Amino acid sequence: MDKKIVFSGVQPSGELTIGNYIGAIKNFAELQDEFNCYYCIVDLHAITVPQVPKDLRKRSLDVLSLYMACGIDPEKSTLFIQSHVPAHTELTWVLNTITYMGQLNRMTQFKEKSRKSDENLNAGLYTYPVLMASDILLYQADFVPVGEDQKQHLELARDLAERFNYRYSDTFTVPEPLIREFGARIMSLQDPESKMSKSDEDANAFILILDDKDTIRRKIKRAVTDSLGIMAYNDEQPGLKNLINIYSVFSNDDVETILKRYDGLGYGKFKEDLAEVVVEGISPIQDKYKDLINNKDYLEKVYKEGAERAEYAAMKTLRKVYKKVGFIPR
Ligand code: TYM
């Protein structure tokens, strides 16, 4: 029987955080034996905020290297760069015509971004979720592994798939989000009420996958906790809860075990050990990344082969769509 299809993407718009790792990339490798996986570097999405072209090129290769450093095997999964497959933008146009502006107005990520900067309210930022729906629907993805923050965008993708299928007859698989119960929302180390984000102005708020050991130790030491001083896991102690989540993901220990281990020992000792757990978990990824990023020929081979495989699958869907909406085949 054919394997079910998984699609996901990461923006090359900054250096990746352990939030990206825990919420998304770590899970990608775990899915690749059971599913037919497509993992994309979404450079078209990245230019919805201003980018320095040379940095964008570097970061795209960074994400490709990190994908592989985190265990994604290009022999098993298709790794590719979004702009290499023009079908993404072509399907976006068609889907734009069945997307209601009211729906886009309700997207919380757009609302947040537009609140923060009214200088750069470009149309790309607004239709960003339609491009994301195209990414997913082109590959007929059954499952989309993402962090919590992408849930609303996934709902739009489902909605557009259903609307198109209803109007033009069955064409798209309606995708399901794969959001882990645990680690789907890693919070800022400085403000545990908001998401850890690579675009945070305060560098102490996030840990990058490529931060060196001492930086990781320093950031964890400075992480905001609370004045209760009791090792517990609840929403009244969100800073501590977030740190326990991170500990749990990197150590594979469950929350109970962690609470018992640090009962009465104070936050200081817990943070010290957490830093070592994170350093230990991330070091092998960093080592592999360093090998890969210097091997430009290999990276080129991977993304070229990936683009070919991706294009083949994407074009199959796009041809169907063009036919159904009434375009004359060339
Ligand atoms: P991006 O590049 O912002 O983030 C990549 C992935 O990391 C997850 N993530 C987090 N998970 C847990 N805690 C956090 N603090 C955290 N921060 C980020 C995100 O949920 C995401 O899964 N629009 C997408 C990229 C995209 C995409 C797609 C994803 C484009 N097309 C198609 C899936 C399918 C984005 O901006 O992710």
Side-chain angles (χ1 to χ4, degrees):
M1 231 179 70
D2 278 353
K3 285 181 177 175
K4 294 238 178 196
I5 296 167
V6 162
F7 183 96
S8 199
V10 172
Q11 286 197 67
S13 56
E15 291 168 283
L16 302 190
T17 70
I18 59 168
N20 296 122
Y21 174 68
I22 297 171
I25 305 175
K26 180 175 180 285
N27 309 320
F28 293 177
E30 289 163 14
L31 298 165
Q32 64 184 347
D33 287 316
E34 195 182 338
F35 301 102
N36 179 10
C37 300
Y38 293 87
Y39 297 125
C40 186
I41 297 148
V42 295
D43 54 353
L44 298 169
H45 278 109
I47 62 163
T48 55
V49 295
Q51 300 290 336
V52 176
K54 153 167 114 359
D55 294 349
L56 181 60
R57 274 190 287 274
K58 179 186 177 295
R59 285 176 176 156
S60 296
L61 294 182
D62 273 352
V63 176
L64 179 63
S65 305
L66 281 172
Y67 271 165
M68 291 191 278
C70 293
I72 303 172
D73 176 355
E75 302 290 324
K76 293 183 185 164
S77 303
T78 302
L79 297 181
F80 72 105
I81 297 171
Q82 190 185 29
S83 64
H84 289 181
V85 182
H88 290 248
T89 37
E90 294 171 297
L91 181 59
T92 300
W93 181 254
V94 177
L95 293 185
N96 267 335
T97 66
I98 64 160
T99 305
Y100 305 133
M101 288 175 66
Q103 287 185 293
L104 295 180
N105 290 337
R106 282 196 296 276
M107 293 289 138
T108 50
Q109 213 163 70
F110 174 73
K111 283 199 281 191
E112 263 169 39
K113 282 191 180 161
S114 49
R115 221 186 4 244
K116 276 188 201 150
S117 73
D118 40 17
E119 268 167 42
N120 181 41
L121 267 194
N122 64 75
L125 211 51
Y126 187 59
T127 59
Y128 174 115
V130 186
L131 175 59
M132 182 162 160
S134 301
D135 296 342
I136 298 165
L137 302 183
L138 267 180
Y139 298 91
Q140 305 288 354
D142 297 281
F143 300 110
V144 184
V146 281
E148 242 265 325
D149 61 329
Q150 297 301 319
K151 201 171 164 188
Q152 197 186 25
H153 292 159
L154 250 296
E155 275 158 21
L156 179 77
R158 288 172 58 82
D159 198 57
L160 294 181
E162 281 166 357
R163 190 171 306 149
F164 190 96
N165 289 348
Y166 181 74
R167 266 195 211 173
Y168 296 104
S169 83
D170 225 13
T171 310
F172 295 122
T173 304
V174 181
E176 300 266 353
L178 268 191
I179 299 174
R180 295 271 161 114
E181 214 173 297
F182 209 76
R185 194 170 172 80
I186 298 297
M187 310 308 281
S188 153
L189 299 183
Q190 290 301 314
D191 169 18
E193 304 291 334
S194 58
K195 189 189 74 165
M196 181 183 284
S197 160
K198 52 197 167 196
S199 55
D200 203 306
E201 279 162 22
D202 182 357
N204 285 320
F206 54 75
I207 295 174
L208 300 175
I209 303 181
L210 296 177
D211 269 344
D212 64 50
K213 297 185 173 69
D214 285 339
T215 306
I216 295 176
R217 291 187 182 110
R218 182 170 43 78
K219 287 180 177 176
I220 291 179
K221 201 168 170 190
R222 288 192 187 164
V224 169
T225 46
D226 55 73
S227 54
L228 294 175
I230 302 160
M231 277 302 285
Y233 186 80
N234 59 54
D235 292 332
E236 275 70 65
Q237 294 168 271
L240 188 60
K241 183 178 179 183
N242 187 42
L243 296 182
I244 293 173
N245 283 339
I246 297 172
Y247 190 116
S248 172
V249 168
F250 280 102
S251 66
N252 282 322
D253 293 328
D254 59 29
V255 173
E256 281 295 277
T257 309
I258 297 167
L259 288 179
K260 229 182 260 162
R261 186 175 301 151
Y262 292 97
D263 186 34
L265 292 183
Y267 297 162
K269 170 71 179 148
F270 168 67
K271 281 180 168 182
E272 237 171 69
D273 287 2
L274 169 62
E276 295 319 307
V277 165
V278 173
V279 164
E280 225 171 89
I282 271 187
S283 294
I285 297 173
Q286 295 185 343
D287 293 343
K288 280 185 214 144
Y289 162 83
K290 281 176 199 147
D291 281 344
L292 287 160
I293 197 68
N294 291 316
N295 197 343
K296 294 283 184 293
D297 290 344
Y298 177 62
L299 294 179
E300 189 179 319
K301 178 173 174 288
V302 169
Y303 68 65
K304 283 193 167 165
E305 284 178 9
E308 245 170 69
R309 291 210 295 264
E311 179 144 57
Y312 180 80
M315 283 311 293
K316 246 164 85 174
T317 303
L318 189 71
R319 272 195 298 272
K320 263 192 220 163
V321 169
Y322 273 16
K323 195 169 158 202
K324 294 202 184 190
V325 299
F327 296 161
I328 294 176
R330 204 165 64 164

